[in-house]
Amino acid sequence: MVGRLDPDRLFPTDEKTRATARALYETVKDLPIISPHGHTDPRWYAENEAFPDPAQLFITPDHYVFRMLCSQGHSLESLGVPRADGGQTETDGRKIWRIFAENSHLFRATPSRMWLDHAFEEIFGWTELVNTKNADASYDHIAECLTQPDFRPRALFDRFNIEAIATTESPLDDLKWHRMIRESDWNGKVVTAYRPDAVVDPEFDGFAENIEKLGHMAGENATSWRGYLEAHRNRRAYFKDFGATSSDHGHPTARTENLSDKTADDLFQKALKGSCTPEEADAFRGHMLTEMAKMSLEDGLVLQIHPGSYRNHSGPVMTAFGRDKGFDIPTRTDYVRALKPMLDVVGMDPKLSIILFTLDETAYARELAPLAGVYPALKLGPAWWFYDSPEGMRRFREMTTETAGFYNTVGFNDDTRAFCSIPARHDVARRVDCAYLATLIATGRLAEDEAHEVAHDLSYRLAKQAYRL
Amino acid sequence: MVGRLDPDRLFPTDEKTRATARALYETVKDLPIISPHGHTDPRWYAENEAFPDPAQLFITPDHYVFRMLCSQGHSLESLGVPRADGGQTETDGRKIWRIFAENSHLFRATPSRMWLDHAFEEIFGWTELVNTKNADASYDHIAECLTQPDFRPRALFDRFNIEAIATTESPLDDLKWHRMIRESDWNGKVVTAYRPDAVVDPEFDGFAENIEKLGHMAGENATSWRGYLEAHRNRRAYFKDFGATSSDHGHPTARTENLSDKTADDLFQKALKGSCTPEEADAFRGHMLTEMAKMSLEDGLVLQIHPGSYRNHSGPVMTAFGRDKGFDIPTRTDYVRALKPMLDVVGMDPKLSIILFTLDETAYARELAPLAGVYPALKLGPAWWFYDSPEGMRRFREMTTETAGFYNTVGFNDDTRAFCSIPARHDVARRVDCAYLATLIATGRLAEDEAHEVAHDLSYRLAKQAYRL
Amino acid sequence: MVGRLDPDRLFPTDEKTRATARALYETVKDLPIISPHGHTDPRWYAENEAFPDPAQLFITPDHYVFRMLCSQGHSLESLGVPRADGGQTETDGRKIWRIFAENSHLFRATPSRMWLDHAFEEIFGWTELVNTKNADASYDHIAECLTQPDFRPRALFDRFNIEAIATTESPLDDLKWHRMIRESDWNGKVVTAYRPDAVVDPEFDGFAENIEKLGHMAGENATSWRGYLEAHRNRRAYFKDFGATSSDHGHPTARTENLSDKTADDLFQKALKGSCTPEEADAFRGHMLTEMAKMSLEDGLVLQIHPGSYRNHSGPVMTAFGRDKGFDIPTRTDYVRALKPMLDVVGMDPKLSIILFTLDETAYARELAPLAGVYPALKLGPAWWFYDSPEGMRRFREMTTETAGFYNTVGFNDDTRAFCSIPARHDVARRVDCAYLATLIATGRLAEDEAHEVAHDLSYRLAKQAYRL
């Protein structure tokens, strides 16, 4: 098989710097994958069933792929995305695949194209550009692979050389798939992470019922402020039993608060009655970040903050198809005033690890690198959103390294629900980091022996250490 | 003649990538120019008179040129800019030209210098850097050219290889120059575009009189809400008769609204009485974008939104010289919440084409590419403001392509009132795009045959298709 | 001695462009240093005492250095930073130095590392990377140097080839060190600059007492509005006697106001009583910028505006250690509306020089370059904050040159209190500018002879001219 993947892809273009990047990359390309934050389905690893068909694997569940087709007028129905009302949508994987194949030009120079090409070639051995002419042949080829044992989730997990992967679950999840993995004879390391949106956001659907359920699961009266906090402590401990080393928080803004117990309790009671104003709901969410940080100091979970996404932007699409349909749009996000209340409480404690993410790149050089470059509790997460974006990754390093250095960052996250993209995404990150390091060497800003150490740290060690995996 | 223009200008610096860029550029450099958005004067093409003198052609009417001289202390009077009170200003083109020549160092590494050098050399055959020593000689050389038939507007239009150009007019314009062009024996394609600021912005000078005039021209009672909308429909149809394929909207922000007819009517009546608060005026403008989008669905005009310019920033200059004197300053512009009301009405309709521009580059990667990368009705216009800015064009591609791809963008616009800059600006855009594509090839992100197709699309086909020209 | 500094550092990586950059750099590298804005201590030059030890010279007083160690959990006490309560902190320079040496990896690819390496090698002849193994040896080597006459402040000043340096003092300073320098037999040019925060900011500690003191020093009744302005005039004249050519203003925002005398007086009286609301304090500060600009028109001092730093962000650190401990965090800063009141009064006057700085890079292309590219009174200061940041310097040129040109910028400032970093910082700036110019030549955007002139201007002439030094 002669593939189309350029072995020197993403390296600098001048020959000498390219050779340096290649040498650095050679030493890290085969390191195991640490995937400390992501959204793969633990059920895959628990049941180890075959993936149904190429469209179900690559297109219909991946809003980064179907959003591009949607942007050029292909209806979500035609791409098999389920309707909220259970109405008719395409179920024939082959027909969905054809739309994708006929529109492969839309993905030119996008990260999706880069990881899809990588997956087709490296995982499935399909080396042609998927297009109109080979739509059926490529579909058949991949479908045939999927019937084989080597393409089941655990086999792929091992083949991908994943040392550890985290999924993300709600405190209301009983973690039955994680239990099933643990009780199986398979040794893959799959841990959960604590994502409490449903029980810390007063504006979340069914907040009061969720709190009721939380209390029930935790064996606490979660409708009192003290009991509510205790229930969180209880569920966090339960999650830790299933390997969790982190919590994850996806608020609309980076706002934090440090309210008095009395004020927090008042807001909580209002939230239970559904009578918070938007401002009060925002204050409550902000205060809960500080509470979570304080619990992290007790139980050692790493606190991840992912602010700034305007979720489900299209009203009509939200009504027809529900959440997470590619209409999450980044917004401008401010960190300096927003984080101060929490940082005044816990920011100087080096035992705590708060990992900040952003969708607003303008905050990197201006706010995030200066904050992470001085507060012991703060670290910078990798370039979020399109984690597989080479330009975004490069800008991330150029905008943060000078002020925060490498050691206030935490290596790479893939943050994906697209299982087959994981090796490609980590490969892209390693290449971009090696390219960046090679440029530093070529411009006299870093010694070669130091760059080799940094390459290893960025590819493997920092993620393992920051997430305590 | 041996020119000073570097044949490889704006290409990547390493030899191999440069050769790729050159090869791509060779295939697109002679494509006809589609100029779907700009501000050249239709009277030029209608009357086909000689341009008066070099200063009147290059300096006095071009606020991008005279603003730089102003910034270093040369008064607008000395550059021949007319005063609002009719007071004394320089009328001797040669004296104005001398100021420009003596200060050519101010323009070093600016886009203005790049297109001026291009125009002097390629159009007029003047190959020296214009400076103090040759101020008079260069003036005389160009002045002599301007007396010749080959330098009249239609001859230049043909020589520039312009396939189609759009001008921009108010609904209150009778389009007499366009009529004259149509009735002439010349076949150049010059179309108009519908720019209704004067009749959709309650804060525009003489708004109530403008509406009166609008009604008169449209044969409608435009002071009723229904009649006002009908008058727009009528004038849009009239503009379509003169080739218009787009409308253009230059609001201070990107705000849209979707008000009830009752609320819109109330605001409109207030606007006619001049009693809108600034907030109400802003809401009315925002609502009119949604109305225009709905009319676009009826009549097929493409909707262009150019928000975020703080117009006429200097109070003293506005008083002394009036509008458009180089004091339009970009401001931070938010799109995500601002566009939602309109997008909830029309955003999912693939038959509609809304082209978004920005003066705030920070919105490209964060907001605009994610929006255009999912909404069927949205497309991204090219890097606005200094359309001739190579750095701006490069950053535009780097910040939008990964999320929106190439096919949610619409090729190049020159947006200029400087006729002689048109070939230079399109040439710069083609070079920068080819440089970008060559870099993608060199870094393994795009195949060479695909890049050739994209180069053609960006240089010619996308503009033609998006603007239906 | 064979050093580790790459003689081609910071130049472009392709050989041809690198050679051009090297040629440009050769012509400017030995030009004298103009340092028109900074925070070195005039007492050094006045007393000319030996610096106490390596830690006191490089680490303890430099918040850019100790902040990085703090970010990784090293307490400020362990780094010798004095506590506000006079509590115990490390006083053994050798122990502090060891922490630094053991953590030198934290500084990889940071500007601090670049200038420290430069200083160790070029000033002290120490050519190894400072690390755990040589912590004591490097400490001893530098400590030994510091005992020698050649390493005293005046000797270093001369060796650094500083033609002129400005320090920064409060109007309440009696300038005794400057007097002592003037009265000495040393000829080094050390001038002061007028930094009136303590007497223009109603929220400054002890504002009312400061005004009292100001009046006393100026021989005016400074508690009346007229007397207050007169006292400023008087102190500015006193500063001019000690060589001052500029004032410097570090407000939280770029807000300016042009209030009536009555309103300004009312706010001033409130400020004296300590009863300004935060909004009123902000308005007063904003108005004082306009007053200072008007005084600049009288006395010729250049007005520098440094807005947008959130000072002393950590409450606990502010309480324990006081101001300026590495917790100044940049914030988003808007200029367009903020500067209009002042610009409407003085912006069109070419005799005035207002130099704008920013910590928010997003304002460069969008707001600052367009403003400086048209207003005669405005110039752009260099890339602030980490003045020694090569990436920041490069982005500054890429984002401002196309709109403002080179001649609306003012060369380089080092803005440092780290004396030994001055040669390194100016060297970095010259290298980055030469790299940028070489790239412009290589891409056909600037002729070689013009680039040579610009290189000289950016390295020396523009700073001298803009600051009238």
Side-chain angles (χ1 to χ4, degrees):
Chain A
M1 147 189 146
V2 177
R4 290 181 308 113
L5 297 176
D6 181 342
D8 282 340
R9 63 192 179 279
L10 301 175
F11 292 158
T13 51
D14 76 285
E15 278 313 317
K16 201 172 148 196
T17 318
R18 173 163 284 202
T20 308
R22 197 188 293 127
L24 287 164
Y25 174 71
E26 280 301 318
T27 69
V28 299
K29 75 183 168 68
D30 296 323
L31 287 171
I33 286 174
I34 304 286
S35 175
H37 177 92
H39 302 279
T40 58
D41 189 341
R43 184 173 180 173
W44 298 336
Y45 316 118
E47 297 194 319
N48 201 31
E49 295 290 338
F51 290 104
D53 73 46
Q56 287 300 320
L57 182 58
F58 283 114
I59 301 164
T60 302
D62 191 337
H63 53 75
Y64 295 114
V65 175
F66 68 67
R67 75 198 304 278
M68 183 63 94
L69 297 166
C70 171
S71 79
Q72 290 278 316
H74 299 279
S75 71
L76 297 182
E77 286 90 344
S78 71
L79 299 165
V81 179
R83 289 185 58 91
D85 62 8
Q88 191 78 20
T89 64
E90 186 55 63
T91 55
D92 183 344
R94 185 178 300 274
K95 284 189 187 158
I96 295 168
W97 187 261
R98 280 180 192 151
I99 294 176
F100 166 71
E102 288 159 9
N103 287 282
S104 62
H105 64 288
L106 300 181
F107 295 93
R108 283 174 183 162
T110 66
S112 300
R113 166 73 174 274
M114 183 162 261
W115 79 254
L116 287 163
D117 281 359
H118 185 281
F120 296 159
E121 181 164 324
E122 295 272 315
I123 305 174
F124 294 95
W126 176 269
T127 60
E128 289 173 29
L129 170 62
V130 172
N131 58 24
T132 307
K133 283 184 204 153
N134 62 28
D136 282 347
S138 55
Y139 184 86
D140 291 336
H141 176 90
I142 294 169
E144 156 60 21
C145 289
L146 292 178
T147 64
Q148 298 173 23
D150 281 359
F151 291 85
R152 299 221 167 182
R154 292 181 185 175
L156 289 176
F157 186 102
D158 294 340
R159 185 169 153 197
F160 294 169
N161 195 19
I162 296 173
E163 181 177 313
I165 197 167
T167 65
T168 308
E169 274 79 37
S170 160
L172 305 179
D173 192 304
D174 61 8
L175 304 182
K176 75 173 169 182
W177 304 116
H178 282 274
R179 181 180 303 278
M180 202 165 144
I181 296 166
R182 187 164 74 179
E183 290 171 354
S184 78
D185 60 356
W186 181 61
N187 288 320
K189 181 166 184 178
V190 179
V191 304
T192 184
Y194 191 74
R195 171 91 179 205
D197 298 24
V199 293
V200 299
D201 178 2
E203 292 172 330
F204 206 91
D205 274 357
F207 178 74
E209 297 76 46
N210 295 343
I211 298 300
E212 194 108 6
K213 190 172 172 198
L214 176 73
H216 185 74
M217 294 176 86
E220 296 283 344
N221 171 15
T223 58
S224 84
W225 174 239
R226 291 282 152 199
Y228 169 68
L229 293 181
E230 214 45 58
H232 272 293
R233 281 191 192 91
N234 179 297
R235 292 305 290 163
R236 290 168 65 105
Y238 185 80
F239 271 57
K240 280 187 74 175
D241 273 357
F242 289 92
T245 67
S246 66
S247 68
D248 183 31
H249 306 271
H251 297 189
T253 71
R255 176 175 180 176
T256 66
E257 288 291 347
N258 181 29
L259 306 174
S260 68
D261 266 357
K262 172 75 176 69
T263 309
D265 191 359
D266 288 351
L267 287 181
F268 181 57
Q269 296 310 323
K270 276 194 168 178
L272 288 175
K273 288 185 202 115
S275 65
C276 278
T277 62
E279 157 60 24
E280 288 170 335
D282 204 43
F284 184 77
R285 286 189 297 261
H287 180 70
M288 285 309 296
L289 284 178
T290 303
E291 292 292 349
M292 289 286 131
K294 290 191 288 187
M295 288 184 201
S296 282
L297 271 171
E298 298 165 11
D299 65 18
L301 291 191
V302 169
L303 181 83
Q304 298 173 95
I305 305 181
H306 282 86
S309 177
Y310 189 116
R311 309 252 173 205
N312 314 305
H313 187 266
S314 168
V317 171
M318 178 66 178
T319 303
F321 297 92
R323 303 171 68 85
D324 299 331
K325 292 300 173 287
F327 286 81
D328 294 354
I329 312 288
T331 58
R332 217 179 57 219
T333 308
D334 295 308
Y335 291 86
V336 181
R337 282 171 187 79
L339 295 177
K340 183 171 162 56
M342 179 183 70
L343 291 174
D344 275 348
V345 180
V346 301
M348 293 303 292
D349 196 323
K351 295 190 301 297
L352 178 62
S353 225
I354 300 171
I355 300 178
L356 297 175
F357 293 80
T358 190
L359 294 170
D360 179 359
E361 290 181 293
T362 68
Y364 271 137
R366 185 181 57 220
E367 304 177 21
L368 292 171
L371 286 165
V374 70
Y375 276 103
L378 289 183
K379 298 283 175 291
L380 295 186
W384 189 26
W385 198 244
F386 294 88
Y387 266 105
D388 45 3
S389 151
E391 297 290 343
M393 291 174 182
R394 177 181 58 76
R395 289 196 295 259
F396 168 72
R397 291 288 174 210
E398 287 177 358
M399 293 194 293
T400 64
T401 307
E402 292 185 323
T403 308
F406 293 112
Y407 296 95
N408 288 306
T409 67
V410 299
F412 183 65
N413 285 189
D414 54 68
D415 191 32
T416 192
R417 61 198 74 221
F419 190 45
C420 290
S421 76
I422 290 176
R425 288 172 196 259
H426 286 262
D427 184 65
V428 166
R430 291 169 186 189
R431 287 173 179 274
V432 172
D433 283 340
C434 289
Y436 176 67
L437 293 169
T439 303
L440 292 178
I441 295 170
T443 53
R445 285 183 276 178
L446 193 65
E448 201 150 339
D449 58 337
E450 293 185 287
H452 274 276
E453 197 175 304
V454 175
H456 190 274
D457 290 342
L458 302 184
S459 300
Y460 179 75
R461 196 182 62 82
L462 283 176
K464 197 173 161 84
Q465 172 186 295
Y467 283 91
R468 302 162 187 184
L469 282 167
Chain B
M1 148 188 144
V2 177
R4 289 181 308 115
L5 298 176
D6 181 342
D8 282 340
R9 62 192 181 278
L10 301 175
F11 292 158
T13 52
D14 77 285
E15 278 313 318
K16 203 173 146 195
T17 317
R18 172 164 284 203
T20 308
R22 197 186 293 127
L24 287 164
Y25 174 71
E26 280 301 319
T27 69
V28 299
K29 73 183 168 69
D30 296 322
L31 288 171
I33 286 174
I34 303 286
S35 175
H37 177 92
H39 301 279
T40 57
D41 190 341
R43 183 172 180 174
W44 298 335
Y45 315 119
E47 298 194 318
N48 200 32
E49 296 290 338
F51 290 104
D53 73 47
Q56 287 300 322
L57 182 59
F58 283 114
I59 301 165
T60 301
D62 190 335
H63 54 73
Y64 294 114
V65 174
F66 69 66
R67 75 199 303 277
M68 182 64 93
L69 297 166
C70 172
S71 79
Q72 290 277 317
H74 298 279
S75 71
L76 297 182
E77 285 90 344
S78 71
L79 298 164
V81 180
R83 290 184 57 92
D85 61 7
Q88 191 78 17
T89 65
E90 186 55 63
T91 54
D92 182 344
R94 184 179 301 271
K95 285 191 186 154
I96 295 167
W97 187 261
R98 280 180 192 150
I99 294 177
F100 166 70
E102 287 158 9
N103 287 283
S104 62
H105 64 286
L106 301 180
F107 295 93
R108 284 174 181 163
T110 65
S112 301
R113 165 73 174 273
M114 183 163 262
W115 77 254
L116 287 164
D117 282 359
H118 186 281
F120 296 158
E121 180 163 325
E122 295 273 314
I123 305 175
F124 294 94
W126 175 269
T127 60
E128 290 174 29
L129 171 61
V130 171
N131 58 24
T132 307
K133 282 184 207 157
N134 60 28
D136 282 347
S138 55
Y139 185 85
D140 290 336
H141 177 90
I142 294 169
E144 156 61 22
C145 289
L146 292 178
T147 64
Q148 298 173 23
D150 281 0
F151 291 85
R152 297 221 167 182
R154 291 181 186 174
L156 289 175
F157 186 102
D158 293 341
R159 184 167 154 199
F160 293 169
N161 195 17
I162 296 173
E163 181 176 314
I165 198 167
T167 65
T168 307
E169 275 79 36
S170 159
L172 305 179
D173 192 304
D174 60 8
L175 305 182
K176 73 172 171 182
W177 304 116
H178 283 274
R179 182 180 302 278
M180 202 164 145
I181 296 166
R182 188 165 72 180
E183 290 170 356
S184 77
D185 59 356
W186 181 60
N187 288 320
K189 182 166 184 177
V190 179
V191 305
T192 183
Y194 191 74
R195 171 91 180 206
D197 298 24
V199 292
V200 300
D201 177 2
E203 291 173 329
F204 205 93
D205 274 358
F207 179 74
E209 297 76 47
N210 295 343
I211 298 301
E212 194 107 2
K213 189 171 172 197
L214 176 74
H216 185 74
M217 293 177 86
E220 295 284 343
N221 172 16
T223 59
S224 85
W225 175 241
R226 290 283 152 202
Y228 169 69
L229 295 181
E230 214 45 58
H232 273 294
R233 282 192 191 90
N234 178 297
R235 293 304 291 162
R236 290 167 65 105
Y238 184 80
F239 271 58
K240 281 188 71 176
D241 273 357
F242 289 92
T245 67
S246 66
S247 68
D248 182 32
H249 307 270
H251 296 188
T253 72
R255 177 173 179 177
T256 66
E257 288 291 348
N258 182 27
L259 307 173
S260 69
D261 266 357
K262 172 76 176 70
T263 309
D265 191 358
D266 287 352
L267 287 182
F268 181 57
Q269 295 310 324
K270 275 195 171 181
L272 288 175
K273 287 185 201 114
S275 64
C276 278
T277 63
E279 158 61 24
E280 288 170 337
D282 205 43
F284 184 77
R285 285 189 299 260
H287 180 70
M288 284 309 296
L289 284 178
T290 303
E291 292 292 348
M292 289 285 131
K294 290 192 289 188
M295 288 185 201
S296 282
L297 272 171
E298 297 166 9
D299 65 17
L301 292 190
V302 169
L303 181 84
Q304 299 174 94
I305 304 181
H306 282 86
S309 177
Y310 189 116
R311 309 252 172 204
N312 314 306
H313 187 266
S314 167
V317 171
M318 179 64 177
T319 304
F321 297 92
R323 304 171 68 86
D324 300 331
K325 293 298 173 287
F327 286 80
D328 293 355
I329 312 288
T331 60
R332 219 180 56 221
T333 309
D334 295 308
Y335 292 86
V336 182
R337 282 172 188 80
L339 294 177
K340 183 172 162 57
M342 179 183 71
L343 290 174
D344 275 348
V345 180
V346 300
M348 294 303 292
D349 196 324
K351 295 189 301 297
L352 179 62
S353 223
I354 299 171
I355 300 178
L356 297 175
F357 293 80
T358 190
L359 293 170
D360 179 359
E361 290 181 292
T362 70
Y364 272 136
R366 184 181 58 219
E367 305 177 22
L368 292 171
L371 287 165
V374 70
Y375 277 102
L378 289 183
K379 299 283 175 290
L380 295 186
W384 189 26
W385 196 245
F386 294 87
Y387 264 106
D388 44 3
S389 151
E391 297 290 342
M393 290 174 182
R394 178 182 58 77
R395 290 196 294 259
F396 168 72
R397 291 290 174 209
E398 288 177 358
M399 294 194 291
T400 64
T401 307
E402 292 184 323
T403 307
F406 293 111
Y407 295 95
N408 287 306
T409 66
V410 299
F412 183 65
N413 283 190
D414 55 69
D415 191 31
T416 193
R417 60 197 74 219
F419 189 45
C420 289
S421 77
I422 291 176
R425 288 172 197 258
H426 285 262
D427 184 65
V428 166
R430 290 170 186 189
R431 287 174 178 272
V432 172
D433 282 340
C434 289
Y436 177 69
L437 292 168
T439 303
L440 293 178
I441 295 170
T443 54
R445 286 182 275 179
L446 192 65
E448 202 151 337
D449 58 337
E450 294 185 286
H452 274 277
E453 198 175 303
V454 174
H456 190 275
D457 290 342
L458 301 184
S459 301
Y460 178 76
R461 196 182 63 81
L462 283 176
K464 198 173 159 82
Q465 174 185 292
Y467 283 90
R468 301 163 187 183
L469 281 166
Chain C
M1 147 190 146
V2 177
R4 290 181 307 114
L5 298 176
D6 182 342
D8 282 339
R9 62 192 180 278
L10 302 175
F11 292 159
T13 52
D14 77 283
E15 279 312 319
K16 203 173 146 195
T17 318
R18 173 163 285 204
T20 308
R22 196 188 294 128
L24 287 164
Y25 173 73
E26 280 300 319
T27 68
V28 300
K29 75 183 168 67
D30 296 322
L31 287 171
I33 286 174
I34 303 286
S35 174
H37 176 92
H39 302 279
T40 57
D41 191 340
R43 183 173 180 173
W44 298 336
Y45 316 119
E47 298 194 317
N48 200 32
E49 296 289 338
F51 291 105
D53 73 48
Q56 287 300 321
L57 181 59
F58 284 114
I59 302 165
T60 302
D62 190 337
H63 54 73
Y64 293 114
V65 175
F66 69 65
R67 77 199 302 277
M68 182 64 94
L69 297 166
C70 171
S71 80
Q72 290 278 316
H74 298 279
S75 72
L76 298 182
E77 285 90 344
S78 72
L79 298 165
V81 178
R83 289 185 57 93
D85 61 7
Q88 191 77 21
T89 64
E90 185 56 63
T91 55
D92 182 343
R94 185 179 300 273
K95 285 190 185 156
I96 295 168
W97 187 262
R98 279 181 192 149
I99 294 176
F100 166 70
E102 287 159 9
N103 287 283
S104 62
H105 64 287
L106 301 181
F107 294 93
R108 283 174 182 161
T110 65
S112 300
R113 167 71 174 275
M114 183 162 263
W115 78 254
L116 287 164
D117 282 0
H118 185 281
F120 296 159
E121 182 164 322
E122 295 273 313
I123 305 175
F124 294 94
W126 176 268
T127 60
E128 290 175 28
L129 172 62
V130 172
N131 60 23
T132 307
K133 282 183 205 155
N134 61 27
D136 282 348
S138 55
Y139 185 85
D140 291 337
H141 177 89
I142 295 169
E144 156 61 20
C145 289
L146 292 178
T147 64
Q148 298 174 23
D150 281 359
F151 292 85
R152 298 220 167 182
R154 292 182 186 174
L156 289 175
F157 186 102
D158 294 340
R159 184 168 153 198
F160 294 170
N161 196 16
I162 296 173
E163 181 176 314
I165 197 168
T167 65
T168 308
E169 274 80 37
S170 160
L172 305 179
D173 192 304
D174 61 7
L175 305 183
K176 73 174 169 180
W177 305 117
H178 283 274
R179 183 180 301 278
M180 202 164 145
I181 296 166
R182 188 166 72 179
E183 291 171 353
S184 78
D185 59 356
W186 181 60
N187 288 320
K189 182 167 185 178
V190 179
V191 304
T192 184
Y194 191 74
R195 170 90 180 205
D197 298 24
V199 292
V200 301
D201 178 3
E203 291 172 330
F204 205 92
D205 274 357
F207 179 74
E209 296 76 45
N210 295 344
I211 298 300
E212 194 107 6
K213 190 171 172 197
L214 176 74
H216 185 73
M217 294 177 85
E220 296 282 345
N221 171 17
T223 58
S224 84
W225 175 240
R226 290 283 154 199
Y228 170 68
L229 295 181
E230 213 45 57
H232 273 293
R233 283 191 190 92
N234 178 297
R235 293 305 289 164
R236 291 167 64 106
Y238 185 80
F239 272 57
K240 281 187 72 176
D241 273 357
F242 289 92
T245 67
S246 66
S247 68
D248 182 32
H249 306 271
H251 297 187
T253 71
R255 176 173 180 178
T256 65
E257 288 291 347
N258 182 27
L259 306 174
S260 69
D261 266 357
K262 172 78 177 68
T263 308
D265 191 359
D266 288 352
L267 287 180
F268 181 57
Q269 296 310 324
K270 276 195 170 177
L272 287 176
K273 288 184 201 115
S275 64
C276 278
T277 63
E279 158 60 23
E280 287 169 335
D282 205 42
F284 184 77
R285 285 189 297 261
H287 179 70
M288 283 309 295
L289 285 178
T290 303
E291 291 292 349
M292 289 285 130
K294 290 192 288 187
M295 288 185 203
S296 282
L297 272 171
E298 297 166 10
D299 64 18
L301 292 190
V302 169
L303 182 83
Q304 300 175 91
I305 305 180
H306 282 87
S309 176
Y310 189 117
R311 309 254 172 202
N312 315 304
H313 187 265
S314 168
V317 171
M318 178 64 178
T319 303
F321 297 92
R323 304 171 68 86
D324 299 331
K325 293 299 174 288
F327 286 81
D328 293 354
I329 312 289
T331 59
R332 217 179 58 222
T333 309
D334 296 308
Y335 292 85
V336 181
R337 281 172 189 79
L339 295 178
K340 183 172 161 56
M342 180 183 69
L343 291 174
D344 276 347
V345 180
V346 300
M348 294 304 290
D349 196 324
K351 294 189 302 296
L352 179 63
S353 222
I354 300 171
I355 300 179
L356 297 174
F357 294 81
T358 190
L359 294 169
D360 179 359
E361 290 182 293
T362 69
Y364 272 137
R366 185 182 58 220
E367 305 176 23
L368 291 172
L371 286 165
V374 71
Y375 276 104
L378 290 183
K379 298 283 174 291
L380 295 185
W384 188 25
W385 198 246
F386 295 89
Y387 265 103
D388 44 3
S389 151
E391 297 289 343
M393 291 174 182
R394 178 183 56 78
R395 290 196 294 260
F396 167 72
R397 291 287 174 212
E398 287 177 359
M399 294 195 291
T400 63
T401 307
E402 293 184 322
T403 309
F406 293 111
Y407 296 95
N408 288 306
T409 67
V410 299
F412 184 64
N413 284 188
D414 54 69
D415 191 32
T416 192
R417 62 196 74 222
F419 189 46
C420 289
S421 76
I422 291 176
R425 289 172 196 258
H426 285 262
D427 185 65
V428 166
R430 291 170 185 188
R431 286 173 179 274
V432 172
D433 283 338
C434 289
Y436 176 69
L437 293 169
T439 303
L440 292 179
I441 294 170
T443 54
R445 286 182 274 178
L446 192 63
E448 202 151 336
D449 57 338
E450 293 185 287
H452 275 277
E453 196 176 306
V454 175
H456 189 274
D457 290 341
L458 302 183
S459 300
Y460 179 75
R461 196 182 61 83
L462 284 175
K464 198 173 160 83
Q465 172 186 294
Y467 283 90
R468 302 162 186 184
L469 281 167

